[in-house]
Amino acid sequence: MTGLASALRTLAVTGAASLLAFAGSAASPAVAVPEPKAPREFVALDSVDRTILQEMRYTTPHNFVGEPIDGYRQPLCVLTRPAAEALHRAQTRLLARGYTLKVYDCYRPQRAVDHFVRWAEDLADERMKAEFYPLVAKERLFADGYIAEKSGHSRGSTVDLTVVRLPAARTRAYVPGEELTSCTAPREERFPDSSVDMGTGYDCFDTLSHTDDPRITGEQRANRQLLKGVLAAEGFVNLPEEWWHFTYKPEPFPSTYFDFPVARRSVAGH
């Protein structure tokens, strides 16, 4: 009986240990994967210049998709430090002339670009067509170059921006579902924006957005040249198809596409 009792005790101990191990494994929480952070070369623009206005469109539903975009956690402009410092120098020039810069978009995570791609592939979703691409068939957005699988914004030195005359008027909030007006309409008919008249609204998918489109004349052309000139003097190169789109050269990360979220914690301590 002594041998049998010993064997039974051994089985009981082994079984209890197995149950405890299983329970501990089941109760253990899943290990959270930390969000990627920005390299130290990235900063929040407002840590370099607090006077530049920020109207970060992709944190809101007022954009060509019609909803906040993946990866934009806070309405914050994040850029590589050289690009941010160059914007500060351009801002100093403009302030002396009675103007200020206003940024619409800066660093853009790859997950946001992926969101744009998914939206463009859904041909049934045209909720914002009347404002942002009234004359372009949605199935043409890839072929015409309005949407792509990679964006220079994800490298951190590209910025979308405009010029605002001081004192700056506030831009009213967009109300989802409100009646939309074409981004190519006269300024007084378009969605109200504190920007000087650039001939089209921001993110307007139309050839009128080409910086040097010959149909843009007079004050509108002068405003585009003001923006282009003050930024070119500080090392920014304009994308000819978009009057608002500029890239600082040389880029610190010319071939790296980042995916950290747009949030202050991504650049905390930089």
Side-chain angles (χ1 to χ4, degrees), residues 193-204:
D193 188 324
S194 58
S195 171
V196 298
D197 189 1
M198 293 291 191
T200 76
Y202 167 59
D203 257 356
C204 187

Side-chain angles (χ1 to χ4, degrees), residues 45-46 49-56 75-77 87 91 95 99-106 159-171 193-196:
L45 176 62
D46 61 12
D49 192 311
R50 292 185 176 275
T51 68
I52 296 174
L53 302 179
Q54 299 190 29
E55 187 182 315
M56 308 303 292
L76 180 71
C77 173
L87 277 190
Q91 174 74 341
L95 289 174
Y99 296 94
T100 178
L101 292 171
K102 180 173 78 171
V103 295
Y104 295 113
D105 190 36
C106 301
V159 58
D160 294 342
L161 73 175
T162 189
V163 171
V164 173
R165 187 182 296 276
L166 294 172
R170 295 193 62 174
T171 301
D193 188 324
S194 58
S195 171
V196 298

